[in-house]
Structures are given as structure tokens and as C-alpha cells.
Amino acid sequence: MKTYLVTGGAGFIGSNFVYYMLKEHPGARIICLDKLTYAGNLETLEEAMKNPDFRFVKGDITDRKVVYSLFEEETFDAVINFAAESHVDRSIDEPEIFLKTNILGTQVLLDACRKYGNIRFHQVSTDEVYGDLPLDRPDLFFTESTPIHTSSPYSASKASADLLVMAYHRTYGSAVTISRCSNNYGPYHFPEKLIPLMITNALFDKALPVYGDGANVRDWLYVEDHCKAIDMIVENGKIGEVYNIGGHNEKTNLEVVKTVLRKLAKPESLIQFVKDRPGHDRRYAIDPTKIKNELGWFPETDFETGIEKTVKWYLENREWWEKIKSGEYTAYYEKMYKNR
Ligand code: NAD
Ligand code: DAU
């Protein structure tokens, strides 16, 4: 049975991946390494903690000592790196930690994989490394050969990490793959991101802050579909390759926000147009042909079903997000939205 290291497994996608792997690979050991930043939440992993095949280790991927000692203790078959600073607005406010965690942290993990026997390494990247597409060219999509062209400190840090991963493959023969996914949504999504922020604000009858004109387009994918794609790439992806993951599910932000309001039976008067995000990417759209043809992956959850499940999850798990919204996050919200 295999042993997987999942970094950043106390965050949104990482935790969903932990649960996906425990369900789909019974008997496999899943070790989670997470620093527990503001975005990491041990309560999310409460159920996983009851499983003897799961182990949680608190630690920073940029801390070489911590990482190497974990690689001494455990024999990993694969490392899947979700650990990152992930919020674009925070990267615009304070870029430095993004460069440290997202680039240097990735380097430490790559070094550990080299040092302990060319361990298989998968980098969870993002479609944001491709920059954006114009709104008036719906015929254009990101493919794996679209040039990297970043907009925010966040996307620049993710793109830098991708370049490093590929450099390790070419220079040292590291056994790597990269996936670049579009916007995810689903359970355990931190309420600073569009969909959970809109759901939780609406439930408090609080204004829903839409940046600019709300016409920016994102390609939404239910998180479980992303987890499945990563599992397929780790198992059967070609070493040294990049795979795009996306749902052909483009929506404007305004469409998404109105859908959320409809699902919650809340009025559209809650929508408040606010100052735009600097450098705001207009449109993301993934062409997932490669992963479909090579690995047989396709998105299984359509947006209508996925958003229904997501809204239901937030209604049934108020304790999880109310704690976040009433804690230290309040100061962040005040700072980010007060002058918008
Ligand atoms: P998240 O912010 O919800 O979670 C990040 C996790 O990483 C948290 O648990 C945090 O504690 C941990 N972490 C942060 N710095 C760390 C460090 N130095 N050492 C160890 N752990 C650390 O992020 P997410 O939305 O789940 O994204 C996960 C990954 O997927 C990121 O790499 C992100 O770039 C990528 N991604 C996200 C999306 C999306 O829509 N959310 C889409 C495509 C790709
Ligand atoms: O595309 C993948 C990326 O998706 C990931 O790499 C990032 O980690 C993830 O955070 C996400 O980035 P976005 O910037 O697209 O997600 P966010 O939820 O922050 O914003 C989605 C859209 O909604 C974007 O156009 C900005 C807009 N928005 C966001 C917030 C938080 C608003 O209009 N109002 C808001 O309050």
C-alpha cells in the first residue's frame, strides 16, 4: 500500500483531497503536512483524524529541517503539493509571504524528493499562470502551451514555482507533474473567496461586494472533480508533463452571485458594486482536451448540482464558517473592504 504526503491538507482543496484519497484508496496512508496559517483549519480534518491511515503533522514547507525530518520518518511514494498562499487580494496587499511559501516552499519539497530517492512530485498549480483572456473572444482557451503571462503577485509566485518544478525535471530528472486548474468551489472553502463569501454574507443579510462591473468570467469546477483529476495524474500522468483541468463552465461573477442569492431566496438588492481589484483578470477558460484524451478525465458535477450541494453544505455547517467569520478574519474583512 502506498504512502502519500499531502501538503496544505488543512486548506480547502487539500482537505477535500485527503477525504477523496481515504475514500478511493482504502489502506493507503495519507500524511498531511500543514503550517495551519489563517487558511488552515484542523477542525476540517476532524473526521480524517479518526482514521488510523491518516497522520497530521504541523509544519512549514519552507522549513527544510522539518521537511527533511518528516522524509526521514516516512517513506513516501508520492508528494502532492497543495500548500500555498492562495488569495489574490492578499497577495496584492502583502506579496512577500506568497514568494516565500509558494516558490521557496516548493523548492524545499523538490529538494526533499531528490534527496530521498527521486520521489514522485505533483505540483498543484493554477490557470492564473496563463494570465487572462479577452471577454470578446469566447473562441480562445488556455491550453498547456499557452505562454505564461501573470497578473498578480500570487499568479507570479505560482508561475515561478511551475518553472522551478520543470527546471528540476530537466536538470535533475525529478519525477514531476503539474496540474493547472480553474476556480474550484465546494465544502470547506474559506469565506474570503467569491462563492463562500457571497453565501455567508447573504445568510447574514450583509452586502455582497462585487468587484468592478461583475462581468469578469471564471471557469468553475466542483472540488471533487479536481481531486479526481489530481489522483489520475499522480497515478497515470506522464512525467514532466503539465495538465490543464477545467470544466467548460464559464460564468460571469454577477451570474454566480445571482445564482447564490436565488438558491438562498435572498434579494438581489444585497449586491453592492465596489472598487475593482487592481490588475483584475477578465476571463479564465480552460481547454481540458489533453487530460480527457490521455487520462479519460472529465468533470462529473455540473454547476447547478455543484452549487446546490455547496449552498446546502454551508447551511448545514454554520459552526465551521461562523467561527471563521467572527474571529481574526473580521479584521481582514474590515481592512480589505472598508475603502472599496
Ligand atoms: P487554501 O488557502 O484554502 O489552503 C492552503 C493551505 O496551505 C492551508 O491549509 C494553509 O495552512 C497551508 N499552508 C500555507 N502556507 C504553508 C506553508 N508554508 N507550509 C505548510 N502549509 C502551508 O488554498 P486552496 O484554495 O485549497 O488551494 C490549494 C492549492 O491549489 C494552492 O496551491 C492553489 O494555488 C491551488 N489552486 C487553487 C484553486 C482554487 O480555486 N482555490 C484553483 C487552482 C489551483
Ligand atoms: O483560477 C484559479 C484561482 O481561483 C486560484 O488559483 C486561486 O487560488 C483562487 O483564489 C481563485 O482566484 P480568483 O481570484 O479567481 O478567486 P476569487 O474567489 O478571489 O475571485 C473570483 C472572482 O470574483 C474574481 O473575478 C474576483 C471576484 N470577487 C472576489 C471577491 C473575493 C468579487 O467580485 N468580490 C469579492 O469580494
Side-chain angles (χ1 to χ4, degrees):
M1 270 301 169
K2 289 187 175 169
T3 301
Y4 298 90
L5 175 61
V6 177
T7 64
F12 165 46
I13 309 174
S15 61
N16 277 282
F17 186 74
V18 165
Y19 286 114
Y20 181 88
M21 292 297 279
L22 290 172
K23 184 174 76 178
E24 297 297 325
H25 297 266
R29 292 188 68 232
I30 312 293
I31 318 295
C32 169
L33 174 68
D34 197 296
K35 183 181 172 184
L36 297 181
T37 66
Y38 78 93
N41 188 345
L42 259 194
E43 282 176 27
T44 301
L45 292 173
E46 237 167 48
E47 271 311 300
M49 299 282 197
K50 296 178 190 157
N51 190 322
D53 293 327
F54 178 76
R55 175 183 173 200
F56 179 79
V57 179
K58 183 174 187 302
D60 188 330
I61 58 163
T62 69
D63 188 334
R64 206 170 274 275
K65 254 207 210 135
V66 165
V67 171
Y68 285 8
S69 79
L70 184 58
F71 277 69
E72 296 276 348
E73 276 171 44
E74 301 277 355
T75 307
F76 296 119
D77 293 283
V79 173
I80 301 107
N81 182 28
F82 292 90
E85 289 294 333
S86 69
H87 192 36
V88 173
D89 293 323
R90 287 185 192 251
S91 84
I92 294 167
D93 199 40
E94 287 181 41
E96 194 158 328
I97 185 68
F98 284 75
L99 308 192
K100 186 170 181 226
T101 292
N102 298 1
I103 308 172
L104 298 179
T106 301
Q107 187 215 351
V108 170
L109 294 172
L110 285 165
D111 283 341
C113 287
R114 267 184 77 208
K115 185 173 159 75
Y116 294 92
N118 202 6
I119 295 166
R120 177 82 173 80
F121 178 84
H122 180 72
Q123 175 72 355
V124 181
S125 186
T126 168
D127 61 358
E128 296 202 16
V129 302
Y130 299 122
D132 63 351
L133 297 163
L135 289 179
D136 60 356
R137 289 293 306 273
D139 55 313
L140 296 181
F141 295 92
F142 298 136
T143 71
E144 289 78 1
S145 53
T146 300
I148 283 183
H149 184 84
T150 58
S151 310
S152 70
Y154 162 71
S155 56
S157 71
K158 292 295 289 184
S160 305
D162 284 11
L163 293 174
L164 205 55
V165 171
M166 283 312 177
Y168 269 59
H169 172 62
R170 173 147 177 173
T171 305
Y172 306 116
S174 297
V176 305
T177 42
I178 294 176
S179 53
R180 294 180 179 149
C181 190
S182 59
N183 288 61
N184 285 213
Y185 66 103
Y188 303 117
H189 204 179
F190 196 86
E192 67 188 348
K193 306 281 171 64
L194 181 74
I195 290 183
L197 177 67
M198 298 300 151
I199 296 174
T200 56
N201 273 16
L203 285 171
F204 281 149
D205 293 310
K206 233 178 130 175
L208 308 194
V210 172
Y211 298 166
D213 56 7
N216 302 62
V217 170
R218 296 294 183 265
D219 176 0
W220 294 96
L221 183 72
Y222 193 63
V223 63
E224 203 175 357
D225 281 326
H226 186 189
C227 296
K228 184 173 184 184
I230 292 172
D231 183 24
M232 287 171 131
I233 296 168
V234 171
E235 292 304 312
N236 297 312
K238 277 198 208 124
I239 300 300
E241 293 285 318
V242 173
Y243 292 90
N244 281 355
I245 308 170
H248 275 312
N249 182 36
E250 292 177 51
K251 306 251 173 262
T252 67
N253 292 339
L254 208 48
E255 279 173 320
V256 169
V257 173
K258 285 183 178 175
T259 305
V260 165
L261 286 170
R262 226 177 17 255
K263 296 283 170 204
L264 292 169
K266 295 284 182 181
E268 287 187 7
S269 56
L270 285 176
I271 294 173
Q272 187 179 14
F273 291 95
V274 299
K275 199 166 128 211
D276 209 352
R277 172 186 280 173
H280 198 173
D281 283 334
R282 292 302 281 179
R283 169 176 171 248
Y284 302 147
I286 284 278
D287 175 356
T289 305
K290 179 174 172 178
I291 189 166
K292 182 167 172 266
N293 289 350
E294 281 189 22
L295 304 177
W297 177 87
F298 60 94
E300 290 173 31
T301 307
D302 61 42
F303 191 69
E304 198 47 40
T305 313
I307 200 74
E308 194 83 53
K309 279 163 99 168
T310 305
V311 166
K312 188 166 179 277
W313 189 89
Y314 280 86
L315 284 169
E316 288 172 356
N317 292 275
R318 287 188 82 117
E319 219 199 351
W320 183 89
W321 59 264
E322 278 182 1
K323 264 192 211 159
I324 297 171
K325 296 245 311 183
S326 60
E328 165 194 340
Y329 174 72
T330 326
Y332 161 84
Y333 198 82
E334 191 43 36
K335 180 179 173 197
M336 292 308 238
Y337 289 90
K338 98 170 165 245
N339 293 324
R340 277 208 133 105

